[in-house]
Amino acid sequence: MRLPGRLSAAIDVLTDVETRKRPVSEALKAWGLNNRFAGAGDRAAIGNLVYDALRRRASHAALMGSDSPRALVLAVAIRDWNEDPAALSDSFAADSHAPEPLTADELARVVGQLPDDTAPHILADVPEWIAPSIERAFGDNWIAEGQDMAGRPSLDLRTNILKASRDRVVKSLDRFHPRLTSISPVGVTMPAGARDARTPNVTTDEGYLKGWFEVQDQGSQIVAALGNAQPGEQVLDLCAGAGGKTLALAAAMGNKGQIFAYDSDRNRLAPIYDRLKRNGARNVQVRAPHPGALDDLAGKMDRVVIDAPCTGTGTWRRRPDTKWKLSPELLAQRTAEQAAILVEGARYLKPGGTLVYITCSILPEENDDQIVAFLKNHPDFTSLPPAELWQAAFGAAIHPDVETAQSGIALTPRLTGTDGFYFNALRRAS
């Protein structure tokens, strides 16, 4: 397929997302099934166009005077992919699979600039109602944070040190030109390409099949390392999901001690069994959800890790469609769940134990605010100093902007080149 046909397909996919209210991934898969002539390169390019359009939907729509799929895709092609507008419009006229040629108004708008009085939430490419929360989290830098959250993410891998070294992983993936991550000592990264660049399919690589590495954002690797799980400890991973952080904890503990992996959703937990086997993680006991599944652990854990259910605002680069679906009602639901699970997690800690609270959110309601509320009702807990945790995990000083007002750690694309994550470690008095 040539570019005009790819643009037309991207418009169709976005229209499908808009009219049928389904996730982008499902719409792209359906388009591929219905258009089997399209090759892997075509599907990658169309996916990039769709995701780029959603990442900067607010600013592109403001510029074009419309948030229609056509307007968004044209803005991506010309403003993000640097296509010449007149030449692109001419190519449309010569291609039966192309969109209609650009109108005079579209040509004028797409090469223009947003006015000086453009609303800040549009510049940040975030929903208007959530802008005050992001500003509260990041102060004067909040617009820059939003803009970086609208970029493309890298593909990051975590070396499974139970089976391989980072050098071995880099060598096995040499054809993809991997780099070492800037913070995680076990990470490997492949930066996002431009335009129609394809993301490497590393899950078919021999190293992945042998358990040498896992796909895991560097931010997730960082918060797992900050959790500081030690060999021989008794650790409860209370929201284990598919097991990404469970596997990182098992490797950090050198398969010594015991990790209890639990999730209230049986379906989310299902993939963990195969992943544990492939990774050679032998110190993990999976607890399937049922009444009283964890009662025998109460008051016995050295460490409880809570990777809390959240809005996922920290993953907007990877799932930009969720940015525009987020609602005050969903935020309220998640914050209620987080408050309850913090109290639940504390029940399993022994005196002197550590409660590790993690979210993939950038919103203070889900992060510092939760810690303030928890500490108010649990005076026997105190937050551990972020600078000391960072130094111990990475042998370097923490960036001052990463530390939050409530002794938390906030990772973002702008600050750390990662997805958005929040971390806070709370020590229970002995």
Side-chain angles (χ1 to χ4, degrees):
M1 296 175 66
R2 291 178 293 183
L3 181 60
R6 291 173 169 180
L7 296 175
S8 184
I11 292 170
D12 289 343
V13 171
L14 280 171
T15 302
D16 185 29
V17 170
E18 188 177 278
T19 56
R20 301 183 64 175
K21 309 299 182 187
R22 62 175 173 178
V24 172
S25 57
E26 289 185 13
L28 284 168
K29 182 178 180 180
W31 187 92
L33 291 173
N34 292 329
N35 297 273
R36 295 183 182 275
F37 62 86
D42 295 321
R43 294 193 300 272
I46 294 162
N48 285 348
L49 287 165
V50 169
Y51 280 110
D52 285 348
L54 291 170
R55 289 183 179 110
R56 299 180 61 193
R57 192 182 84 172
S59 60
H60 282 329
L63 184 77
M64 298 297 290
S66 168
D67 65 353
S68 70
R70 173 185 167 88
L72 297 178
V73 170
L74 291 177
V76 169
I78 294 166
R79 300 187 67 83
D80 297 345
W81 289 32
N82 298 315
E83 289 293 321
D84 178 82
L88 187 66
S89 187
D90 288 344
S91 72
F92 289 177
D95 192 324
S96 61
H97 300 290
E100 290 295 315
L102 278 71
T103 65
D105 181 63
E106 287 172 334
L107 283 168
R109 284 181 173 276
V110 79
V111 297
Q113 298 294 326
L114 290 170
D116 293 339
D117 62 350
T118 298
H121 76 276
I122 292 176
L123 297 176
D125 268 296
V126 300
E128 183 175 7
W129 72 270
I130 204 66
S133 292
I134 302 175
E135 183 175 9
R136 183 157 67 91
F138 300 107
D140 293 342
N141 294 316
W142 78 274
I143 294 176
E145 291 286 357
Q147 290 171 341
D148 278 15
M149 196 68 76
R152 289 186 183 180
S154 59
L155 174 65
D156 297 344
L157 314 174
R158 178 187 58 80
T159 302
N160 176 21
I161 57 175
L162 295 175
K163 286 193 169 186
S165 67
R166 183 157 67 164
D167 287 345
R168 189 176 195 179
V169 171
V170 169
K171 185 177 181 180
S172 74
L173 298 172
D174 182 66
R175 64 193 182 282
F176 297 130
H177 309 292
R179 306 176 189 176
L180 304 185
T181 46
S182 58
I183 299 172
S184 170
V186 294
V188 174
T189 185
M190 281 151 275
R195 292 174 55 97
D196 58 355
R198 295 169 60 182
T199 301
N201 182 13
V202 297
T203 58
T204 60
D205 184 80
E206 176 189 25
Y208 178 82
L209 299 174
K210 290 184 175 181
W212 294 354
F213 61 85
E214 284 289 321
V215 176
Q216 186 175 26
D217 179 75
Q218 185 187 190
S220 183
Q221 297 177 43
I222 290 169
V223 294
L226 289 168
N228 197 33
Q230 297 296 308
E233 285 188 339
Q234 299 292 299
V235 177
L236 171 60
D237 188 354
L238 191 53
C239 306
K245 292 184 182 65
T246 306
L247 295 170
L249 294 170
M253 295 168 66
N255 265 338
K256 298 175 182 176
Q258 185 74 61
I259 301 172
F260 300 92
Y262 173 85
D263 198 283
S264 60
D265 187 323
R266 195 178 295 269
N267 291 328
R268 279 199 303 262
L269 198 60
I272 197 172
Y273 299 97
D274 287 340
R275 297 182 77 186
L276 290 171
K277 183 177 180 180
R278 181 166 48 80
N279 277 256
R282 298 188 300 274
N283 66 331
V284 179
Q285 181 183 131
V286 181
R287 293 285 183 96
H290 62 79
L294 302 176
D295 285 353
D296 61 315
L297 306 183
K300 297 179 180 178
M301 296 293 100
D302 296 294
R303 205 169 300 269
V304 174
V305 177
I306 298 174
D307 187 4
C310 69
T311 57
T313 51
T315 64
W316 278 345
R317 296 186 304 169
R318 300 181 191 279
R319 301 181 62 200
D321 52 328
T322 64
K323 174 161 53 173
W324 311 108
K325 294 177 182 177
L326 183 61
S327 67
E329 293 75 22
L330 178 58
L331 176 58
Q333 177 185 337
R334 290 292 179 258
T335 54
E337 292 168 349
Q338 291 154 6
I341 205 165
L342 271 166
V343 174
E344 172 73 4
R347 185 168 81 90
Y348 302 106
L349 271 182
K350 69 181 185 182
T354 303
L355 185 63
V356 174
Y357 180 69
I358 298 167
T359 73
C360 54
S361 173
I362 61 173
L363 304 180
E365 291 89 340
E366 301 183 272
N367 298 338
D368 268 4
D369 291 0
Q370 290 288 1
I371 299 303
V372 170
F374 177 81
L375 292 178
K376 182 179 179 180
N377 296 313
H378 297 81
D380 56 330
F381 281 82
T382 55
S383 286
L384 298 177
E388 295 180 12
L389 293 170
W390 194 277
Q391 181 69 39
F394 309 117
I398 192 171
H399 189 293
D401 288 347
V402 170
E403 189 170 345
T404 73
Q406 298 301 323
S407 296
I409 292 174
L411 312 178
T412 68
R414 187 182 75 88
L415 293 171
T416 52
T418 68
D419 284 351
F421 278 92
Y422 177 82
F423 174 94
N424 206 305
L426 304 162
R427 176 69 51 80
R428 175 172 243 160
S430 300

